[in-house]
Amino acid sequence: MTTAVEADTRTLIAVRGLKKHFPIKEGALQRVTGHVQAVDEVSFDIEKGQTLGLVGESGCGKTTLGRLVAGLSEPTAGGVYFDLGPQEKIELDRLMASDAERAEFDDEHRVDLLKGDAWRRFRRNTQMVFQDSFASLNPRQLVKDIVGRPLRVHREASGTALVERVVELLEQVGLGRQHLYRYPHQFSGGQRQRISIARALALDPGLVVLDEPSSALDVSVQAQILNLLHDLQADRGLTYLFITHDLSVVRHMADQIVVMYLGRVSERAPTDDLFAAPRHPYTEALLRASPDLDADGDEDGFQGLEGSVPDPARPPQGCRFHTRCVYATRVCGWEIDDVVLRLEETPGLFDRLEDVERRSPFDAELRFESEQAARTLVSTFQNEAPEPMRDALEDMTVEGRTVAIRFNPVPEVELTSRGTDHEAACVLEDFGSN
Ligand SMILES: Nc1ncnc2c1ncn2[C@@H]1O[C@H](COP(=O)(O)OP(=O)(O)OP(=O)(O)O)[C@@H](O)[C@H]1O
Ligand code: SF4
Ligand SMILES: [Mg+2]
C-alpha cells in the first residue's frame, strides 16, 4: 500500500456529481416508466499511485461507476475528470457552482468530452479488468491475440516484436510463452484473471479499474491475485480503482475506501480510519457481515446484514438505508412506501388495499375494501410499526374506508465531515459503539 506522502500529488481521477440513470421501458411501445438510479450524485478523488477501494452490496452501482471512470459509458449528469494538478483541482472545485463558467475546463478535462490526442491519452492510460473474466475474454481467440490486441489496435507492435511483448506481459502476471497458443477455456479461473490483467497492462496504463478481480476465485487463488496486483502496483506505480463487495479484500490494498449504498456514497474515509471507527451504520453492518473482520471474535455479537436492498428505481427518501438501519431515528426519511412495505408483509390486510393515492412520497390516502380493514391498518401501525417510524408520523386519520397518512418530509441525507478526509451520510454523529 502506498502512503499519502509517497504518492504523487496529481489527481488521476476526480469524480464530481456523477449520475447514471438507466431508463426502465415497458410495454409494446417501450414507454419509459421510470429510471434506475444506478449512480447518483457521486464525488471522490483518486490520487496518482494510490488505491481507492469501492465497496457495497450487489446492485449498488459499483460496476456502473467503474465503467464511467474507465470512459466506457457516458454519464447522465456530472463528470469524471482526468489527470489534474493541485491547482487544476482547486479550480475545478471553484467552478463546480457554475456549468457555464466550467465549460472550457470541462472540454479540456472531462472524460466524456475529450477529443483527439487528449482522448487517446486517456484511453491508453485507463484500463479495466472486468468482473466476469470468462465473458470478457473472446473464447475463439488465442491468448497471443487477446493480450496482443490493444498493442495491435494502437499500432504499438506487430509480427515477432508483438509476440515478444505478449510473452513479457504474460511473464509479469505469472504465465509464460507456453500459454500463447491456448484458448481461454483451457485455463483455470485464476489464470484467466491473470490473462485479463496482462491485457489491461499491455498499453502501460496509469490507472486500472479492477472490477471484483478476485471474487470468483478460491481463497488461496484470491490471495495470489491480490499479491500479484500489489507487486504490479509497486513495480509500475499503478493507480487502482478496486471494486469489491467484500471489505476484507481491500483492507490491505486500499488507501481510501468509498462505501456505496443504492447508487450513493454513504461513507468515504482513509482505510485505517474506516476499519478503526466506521461512522456510518451501513459500514458497520458490512464489517459485521465479514466474519473474519469481527474484531472481538464475539460469535453472539455477529449480526450480518439483514433485510433486502430496496428497488433502485424508487430509492427510499431521506437516508436510503433507513429501511434496514438498526439505529434509524424519526428524521431518517419515513414515508408512505414504508407503510405499504409493511402491509405487503401482512397478506390478509394487503389483499384488501384497493388504491394508494400519493400527493408526495410522504403524504397519501390508502383506500381499503372495507372500513374494518382501514381501522385494522391504524391499529396494526400503532402496535407494530417501529418506534421511530411512529414518531415520524404527522397525521393518520380514518374516514370510512380511507386512511390518510402524512409523514414529516425529510430531504436526502448528504455527506458531512467526520474528520480529515472522512465523510459519512448519516444524521447521527455517533451511534452504537462509536
Ligand atoms: N445497462 C443497464 N440497463 C439498465 N439497468 C442497469 C444497467 N446496468 C446496470 N443496471 C442496474 O443498475 C444497478 C447497479 O448495477 P451494477 O451492475 O452497477 O451493480 P454492482 O454494484 O456492480 O453489482 P454486483 O456486485 O452484483 O456486480 C442495478 O440495479 C442494475 O440492475
Ligand atoms: S441517517 Fe444514519 S441513523 Fe438514520 S437511517 Fe441512515 S444510517 Fe441509519
Ligand atoms: Mg458489478
Side-chain angles (χ1 to χ4, degrees):
M1 187 166 83
T2 49
T3 65
V5 181
E6 287 167 330
D8 197 302
T9 50
R10 286 193 85 78
T11 301
L12 217 48
I13 292 290
V15 173
R16 291 291 179 275
L18 195 62
K19 287 189 187 180
K20 182 76 184 183
H21 293 184
F22 294 108
I24 302 166
K25 296 178 183 162
E26 278 173 13
L29 296 174
Q30 287 288 285
R31 202 169 279 137
V32 176
T33 55
H35 286 87
V36 174
Q37 301 182 16
V39 172
D40 200 39
E41 283 291 340
V42 167
S43 301
F44 58 80
D45 296 332
I46 313 179
E47 308 298 335
K48 192 170 179 190
Q50 301 235 320
T51 296
L52 184 124
L54 181 62
V55 301
E57 285 165 288
S58 182
C60 73
K62 303 181 296 298
T63 297
T64 307
L65 183 52
R67 288 176 55 81
L68 288 163
V69 167
L72 300 173
S73 117
E74 302 235 327
T76 307
V80 175
Y81 294 83
F82 171 55
D83 197 18
L84 305 179
Q87 284 309 319
E88 285 168 327
K89 197 169 90 174
I90 293 168
E91 182 71 353
L92 171 64
D93 287 329
R94 188 181 71 76
L95 292 170
M96 278 319 287
S98 160
D99 289 352
E101 279 186 43
R102 212 178 52 245
E104 196 181 326
F105 189 95
D106 279 2
D107 281 342
E108 276 178 39
H109 299 284
R110 212 176 87 186
V111 166
D112 58 311
L113 299 177
L114 296 178
K115 295 194 174 56
D117 285 348
W119 169 252
R120 277 188 286 279
R121 191 168 86 81
F122 169 78
R123 190 56 296 142
R124 292 182 57 114
N125 188 77
T126 307
Q127 299 292 325
M128 185 154 176
V129 173
F130 296 92
Q131 188 162 2
D132 181 348
S133 69
F134 208 61
S136 72
L137 301 175
N138 186 336
R140 283 184 289 276
Q141 279 189 348
L142 294 167
V143 166
K144 167 181 85 71
D145 297 319
I146 291 171
V147 178
R149 187 161 188 274
L151 294 164
R152 236 185 12 258
V153 169
H154 286 260
R155 304 209 168 106
E156 287 275 311
S158 59
T160 342
L162 179 89
V163 176
E164 289 315 308
R165 288 280 294 279
V166 171
V167 171
E168 254 176 61
L169 286 160
L170 289 177
E171 284 171 351
Q172 283 188 28
V173 299
L175 299 171
R177 192 177 291 276
Q178 69 277 23
H179 298 111
L180 278 174
Y181 295 93
R182 291 194 201 162
Y183 291 98
H185 74 266
Q186 294 171 296
F187 293 89
S188 68
Q191 285 175 320
R192 271 200 302 276
Q193 206 50 291
R194 288 172 191 267
I195 296 167
S196 299
I197 294 167
R199 177 177 60 180
L201 295 178
L203 294 169
D204 202 14
L207 174 77
V208 184
V209 177
L210 300 157
D211 192 359
E212 307 266 11
S214 60
S215 303
L217 309 172
D218 293 344
V219 176
S220 62
V221 183
Q222 192 173 70
Q224 288 168 17
I225 294 291
L226 296 181
N227 286 337
L228 169 68
L229 291 169
H230 201 276
D231 294 347
L232 288 170
Q233 182 172 46
D235 287 351
R236 293 169 162 250
L238 289 168
T239 306
Y240 288 147
L241 172 58
F242 194 116
I243 297 171
T244 174
H245 60 270
D246 186 347
L247 266 166
S248 63
V249 167
V250 278
R251 185 172 194 176
H252 302 290
M253 292 280 296
D255 302 276
Q256 290 269 335
I257 297 214
V258 166
V259 182
M260 272 182 92
Y261 187 73
L262 274 182
R264 286 232 159 192
V265 175
S266 56
E267 184 163 6
R268 186 186 68 78
T271 307
D272 293 344
D273 294 357
L274 188 107
F275 280 89
R279 301 300 298 273
H280 196 285
Y282 178 57
T283 313
E284 189 194 63
L286 281 180
L287 288 171
R288 282 184 193 276
S290 294
D292 50 344
L293 288 176
D294 192 16
D296 53 12
D298 174 6
E299 286 287 316
D300 296 335
F302 183 80
Q303 288 182 10
L305 253 178
E306 283 181 12
S308 52
V309 181
D311 179 1
R314 287 177 67 162
Q317 299 294 312
C319 172
R320 294 187 179 195
F321 188 52
H322 80 254
T323 56
R324 301 165 77 193
C325 179
V326 293
Y327 306 107
T329 72
R330 61 183 289 277
V331 295
C332 291
W334 300 99
E335 58 186 302
I336 301 300
D337 273 357
D338 295 320
V339 179
V340 176
L341 197 73
R342 294 191 78 81
L343 270 174
E344 283 174 12
E345 289 161 7
T346 323
L349 197 52
F350 186 62
D351 293 346
R352 287 145 79 193
L353 176 65
E354 285 184 341
D355 191 26
V356 180
E357 197 175 313
R358 290 164 206 271
R359 280 182 284 269
S360 83
F362 303 99
D363 185 353
E365 286 190 349
L366 275 62
R367 202 173 60 248
F368 287 87
E369 225 173 61
S370 64
E371 285 184 27
Q372 195 211 352
R375 281 198 302 274
T376 310
L377 168 72
V378 176
S379 59
T380 310
F381 184 89
Q382 280 162 353
N383 295 328
E384 291 175 24
E387 198 180 323
M389 185 173 167
R390 277 183 276 142
D391 289 349
L393 194 66
E394 285 206 323
D395 193 30
M396 184 180 252
T397 43
V398 201
E399 216 180 295
R401 295 188 292 136
T402 303
V403 184
I405 304 177
R406 200 171 72 244
F407 285 100
N408 192 13
V410 167
E412 184 99 37
V413 177
E414 302 291 341
L415 284 168
T416 47
S417 175
R418 296 294 194 275
T420 313
D421 261 349
H422 195 156
E423 292 182 309
C426 177
V427 297
L428 298 176
E429 275 283 326
D430 295 303
F431 60 88
S433 52
N434 277 325

